[in-house]
Amino acid sequence: MSYVDEVLARIHAENSGEPEFLQAVDEVLESLRPVIAQDENKFRRDAVLERLCNPDRQIKFRVSWVDDSGQVQVNTGYRIQFNNAIGPYKGGLRFHPSVYTGIIKFLGFEQIFKNSLTGLPIGGAKGGSDFDPKGKSDREVMAFCKSFMNELYRNIGPNKDVPAGDIGVGGREIGYLFGQYKKLVKHYEGVLTGKGIGWGGSLARTEATGYGLVYIAEELLKCHGYDMAGKTVVISGSGNVAIYAAEKCTMLGAKVVTVSDSTGWIYDRDGIDINLLKEIKEVRRERLTAYKDARPECEYHEGRGVWQIPCDLALPCATQNELTEDDAKLLVSNGCIAVCEGANMPATPEATKYLQENGVLFISGKASNAGGVATSALEMAQNSERTSWSFEEVDSRLKDIMVNIYHNIDDAAKRYGLEGNYVAGANIAGFEKVCDAMISQGI
Ligand code: NDP
Ligand code: 2IT
């Protein structure tokens, strides 16, 4: 049996209740076959793949807090520190009722390769809770965040592990978490990223994941003879990543015609009104039905459905496995040129395969959404220097990073005779740097 197959069998046997984690591992290890085949015995002897697929440590804790009625609520908190071969652990926190060990493991595993692709010194981790911020008052969110940090603080630090936002964790939550960390350790230090601009945050971090996604999409299109201007773009989600992807597409002269949330989706033929979307989602924290109320000429549909709308570029920016093989078929039959993942693992393996086999340019999330964590690393750099850079400075570094990622994954794919397979290119390029560091540092 090949070394890759041995490890896959072992990882599947040991993690059978965690389908999202297994999906992420399968994709990466399949891509690494040609790399491993070059010196299979050495990789096996060093147990490189087993070490990569088993987190350094998993922290799981109880979070008790009091709701507005006086009832005590109990949730579970997680921080999974996967790999720190190239820098301190880094990765977001997700607050969503679907969170369990398998989700955090898949995200932490992806984060190793993504962070490596940024070219910056950050290792891979992820955390979060099954807490659902939806419908909670500000005070309840604060109570939860403070209690969550009462456990998390002992495991993180600016040179150890630096969390940030993800689904359900934005500027408000980072503020409450930071306040409690500071209270507990009595240090003012850059332990979280995505902080407010007045207290250690970086300009352009809020925009970074969405903008970065569009910068890499623009480079991909440019290298294949297309221009962003005039393109029709379909986006899913309406959170941090979706909003700023839509904003940058619009700034570049493309037209974004859809957004979605977990209850429904909007089709706005005239182009999504970004300011209205921000007001509804970032300020009022309302559902997309409020967008329809404000713009009665657009269409609102319950459930899911954005991928049926004809487009040139599709940017899934909501959650894992939200773009299925049937959706991929619709995109292909409507003449879609490219799909770039804003979310983590939004396309199912079958969808990815179908898109690639039918000539759609496809960049996987660990490359295309790396702009968020890259800018988090820039926030860490600014905190270390006790300075802050201008929006233009951060934004131009972000753009350079995304353009570099595109060329690195393109080159890696070509080196292994897989030209145009950016999924394999991203997995290989992300792996090479981490693997070299692990081997250099010994056991
Ligand atoms: P937000 O919480 O800001 O927004 C998430 C959006 O996706 C919301 O519109 C939400 O709808 C929708 N959504 C979430 N879960 C589901 C679900 N199960 N079914 C349908 N819709 C869903 O999160 P972000 O924008 O930050 O994150 C979106 C994706 O991008 C995630 O995959 C995340 O891991 C990834 N990502 C985020 C980065 C960041 O910097 N924030 C960086 C890199 C990747 P609703 O409000 O109704 O739940
Ligand atoms: O998935 C991701 O890369 C993030 N949620 C951002 C992580 C970070 O540390 O900025």
Side-chain angles (χ1 to χ4, degrees):
M1 209 195 265
S2 77
Y3 175 45
V4 168
D5 286 319
E6 281 166 27
V7 177
L8 280 173
R10 183 165 163 192
I11 298 296
H12 275 257
E14 290 171 353
N15 301 273
S16 58
E18 299 171 357
E20 300 85 0
F21 175 57
L22 294 176
Q23 184 181 330
V25 170
D26 284 350
E27 185 208 285
V28 171
L29 266 52
E30 287 300 332
S31 297
L32 294 182
R33 282 185 194 278
V35 184
I36 302 297
Q38 289 181 326
D39 200 346
E40 195 179 55
N41 290 336
K42 173 158 174 48
F43 284 113
R44 184 189 277 115
R45 210 172 131 85
D46 283 334
V48 168
L49 297 179
E50 293 89 329
R51 287 156 66 199
L52 207 54
C53 296
N54 283 288
D56 288 351
R57 66 193 63 79
Q58 300 185 194
I59 301 146
K60 185 175 177 187
F61 47 96
R62 173 173 50 77
V63 185
S64 317
W65 56 281
V66 183
D67 74 15
D68 284 347
S69 75
Q71 173 66 48
V72 175
Q73 299 286 345
V74 177
N75 288 99
T76 304
Y78 302 85
R79 186 71 182 169
I80 301 193
Q81 297 172 331
F82 236 103
N83 185 298
N84 66 352
I86 62 169
Y89 300 109
K90 182 85 196 85
L93 298 170
R94 175 176 292 191
F95 292 170
H96 193 273
S98 63
V99 163
Y100 76 107
T101 304
I103 293 278
I104 302 298
K105 266 166 74 180
F106 118 65
L107 292 163
F109 181 73
E110 291 282 290
Q111 203 82 42
I112 305 171
F113 308 97
K114 182 194 306 194
N115 293 5
S116 167
L117 287 172
T118 66
L120 299 167
I122 39 179
K126 201 80 182 193
S129 175
D130 57 357
F131 172 73
D132 185 0
K134 226 171 271 161
K136 302 291 191 298
S137 69
D138 269 1
R139 195 211 60 82
E140 288 176 321
V141 170
M142 178 167 72
F144 175 81
C145 288
K146 302 259 158 186
S147 183
F148 183 85
M149 188 52 86
N150 283 343
E151 261 324 302
L152 185 67
Y153 86 97
R154 52 184 113 249
N155 300 297
I156 61 175
N159 295 307
K160 187 178 186 181
D161 183 356
V162 183
D166 193 80
I167 291 177
V169 177
R172 173 181 62 170
E173 291 74 20
I174 294 293
Y176 297 148
L177 292 163
F178 183 75
Q180 189 67 358
Y181 178 86
K182 194 185 65 176
K183 192 93 189 157
L184 291 163
V185 306
K186 308 184 190 74
H187 289 296
Y188 202 107
E189 53 192 20
V191 68
L192 295 162
T193 58
K195 299 185 291 300
I197 299 307
W199 42 277
S202 174
L203 287 162
R205 174 62 186 90
T206 303
E207 294 83 355
T209 311
Y211 278 24
L213 171 66
V214 179
Y215 292 146
I216 203 169
E218 188 186 24
E219 187 67 13
L220 171 76
L221 291 181
K222 195 178 97 188
C223 292
H224 288 83
Y226 301 103
D227 191 351
M228 273 294 281
K231 294 287 175 292
T232 299
V233 185
V234 159
I235 291 183
S236 64
S238 52
N240 174 263
V241 181
I243 289 171
Y244 291 95
E247 180 169 275
K248 183 52 76 176
C249 285
T250 310
M251 286 163 78
L252 295 177
K255 187 160 77 172
V256 177
V257 292
T258 66
V259 284
S260 66
D261 63 19
S262 56
T263 36
W265 56 284
I266 293 285
Y267 178 32
D268 193 337
R269 283 185 182 73
D270 300 330
I272 294 291
D273 179 335
I274 310 288
N275 288 332
L276 175 63
L277 183 66
K278 283 187 188 175
E279 168 71 19
I280 290 168
K281 288 294 176 184
E282 294 185 331
V283 183
R284 285 152 48 191
R285 297 181 188 275
E286 288 178 352
R287 312 307 302 160
L288 283 175
T289 42
Y291 185 98
K292 167 75 178 163
D293 293 343
R295 275 173 78 86
E297 65 278 17
C298 79
E299 288 176 29
Y300 174 80
H301 302 275
E302 301 244 305
R304 54 194 296 289
V306 296
W307 312 121
Q308 68 193 268
I309 303 300
C311 67
D312 303 302
L313 175 64
L315 304 175
C317 296
T319 195
Q320 63 276 352
N321 293 327
E322 55 157 320
L323 197 163
T324 65
E325 186 175 9
D326 285 344
D327 299 324
K329 287 180 179 164
L330 288 169
L331 288 168
V332 169
S333 66
N334 285 328
C336 175
I337 303 166
V339 175
C340 297
E341 295 186 320
N344 285 306
M345 213 169 73
T348 64
E350 298 76 23
T352 303
K353 186 161 177 278
Y354 189 87
L355 292 168
Q356 289 179 318
E357 286 176 356
N358 286 276
V360 177
L361 304 169
F362 181 89
I363 304 189
S364 49
K366 61 171 75 67
S368 50
N369 70 35
V373 77
T375 307
S376 279
L378 300 180
E379 182 172 331
M380 291 164 72
Q382 293 168 78
N383 290 169
S384 301
E385 281 185 352
R386 299 188 188 283
T387 187
S388 55
W389 305 335
S390 67
F391 187 95
E392 292 69 28
E393 166 85 31
V394 181
D395 188 41
S396 97
R397 288 185 190 231
L398 167 64
K399 187 164 184 182
D400 288 348
I401 289 168
M402 298 314 296
V403 168
N404 269 330
I405 291 176
Y406 171 73
H407 291 286
N408 286 341
I409 66 175
D410 187 37
D411 289 347
K414 285 178 181 154
R415 271 193 278 123
Y416 286 90
L418 298 165
E419 181 162 0
N421 185 344
Y422 305 107
V423 174
N427 291 331
I428 292 169
F431 168 77
E432 285 174 335
K433 186 176 166 192
V434 176
C435 178
D436 287 349
M438 286 167 65
I439 290 174
S440 302
Q441 292 167 28
I443 300 297

